[in-house]
Amino acid sequence: MTVRTPSSRIRRAVTPLALCAGLAVGLTACAADPDEGTNGVGKLTAPEIERKAQAAADTAKAVRLSGTLVSKGGTFKLNMRLKQDGATGSVTTKNSTFELLRVGDALYLKADAGFWAHDDKATEAPTEADSEAADKLDDMYVKVPQGDPSYKQLRGFTDMGPLLDGLIALHGDAVKGDRDQIGGVRTVKVKGGADGEGGTLDVALEGSPYPLQFARGGGAGVVVLSEWNRDFPLAEPSTEETLDYGKQLPRT
């Protein structure tokens, strides 16, 4: 029976590490390949990764977009499911939440009575007539006329292509960043500018190189993009739950 001394056990443990460190190729021979099992996008340059992500988003048929956007007009929290011919989801502002549904060019807005009473803007308490009018609109799908000034603005939350183009575009020279994980999927970061002042995009290293998260520069919000190409049903609401005011939204 051979009794090994502590020093001999240490030498046996250290020897493989010493051999590995002494190889001419250095750590590369011993460390795991960070691109092993990936789609290979991580080996590309920053501009190439950005183009791959944009191309993947442009050809996708559906996506879920959730997160927060900060602008001069305030903060918006989005939770939208989008596809080429429509969308459904919700938008939350400082004082209210409303739902949007678009099927083709038909756009519907659904909100509670408090939203229609304009409590967030009124300088005086709503009158009884205001409250009665708002109650009629409570939890109903109100069709937004295409001629109404708000149609274009509200539709902007539901147009998949233009919305993604505006939200995930980097500004400044593209710079390759660190590896990360979003929703359990490995990603590589691409930054607009050295410090990400033009935004930071996380691109999937597994499967198609979809953009999975975009952090806007200057702390102007973070949006997460998921459920790429996962279809969902879209249908116009029934006549019983719809109000159509013709050429203009109701003013309560």
Side-chain angles (χ1 to χ4, degrees), residues 169-171 190-193 196-201 214-217:
L170 293 170
H171 300 283
V190 182
K191 300 181 292 183
E197 58 272 21
T200 300
L201 185 66
F214 186 74
R216 304 178 77 196

Side-chain angles (χ1 to χ4, degrees), residues 5-6 17 32 34 38 41 45 58 70 88 94 102-103 105 109 125 137 142 144 156 173 191:
T5 64
L17 297 176
T38 72
V41 168
T45 65
D58 289 343
V70 181
T88 182
K94 181 179 179 181
R102 183 174 66 82
V103 183
D105 290 328
L109 171 65
L137 303 172
V142 178
V144 183
D173 294 333
K191 300 181 292 183

Side-chain angles (χ1 to χ4, degrees), residues 42-99:
K43 298 178 180 180
L44 302 177
T45 65
E48 289 172 333
I49 297 171
E50 184 184 10
R51 287 195 292 269
K52 287 277 189 181
Q54 289 285 1
D58 289 343
T59 57
K61 296 180 180 179
V63 67
R64 178 186 287 274
L65 187 154
S66 58
T68 302
L69 303 177
V70 181
S71 68
K72 293 180 180 179
T75 300
F76 300 91
K77 187 175 292 184
L78 305 180
N79 185 9
M80 298 294 301
R81 298 190 71 182
L82 308 155
K83 57 183 179 179
Q84 299 297 340
D85 60 346
T88 182
S90 64
V91 179
T92 300
T93 63
K94 181 179 179 181
N95 297 309
S96 63
T97 297
F98 56 90
E99 296 178 29

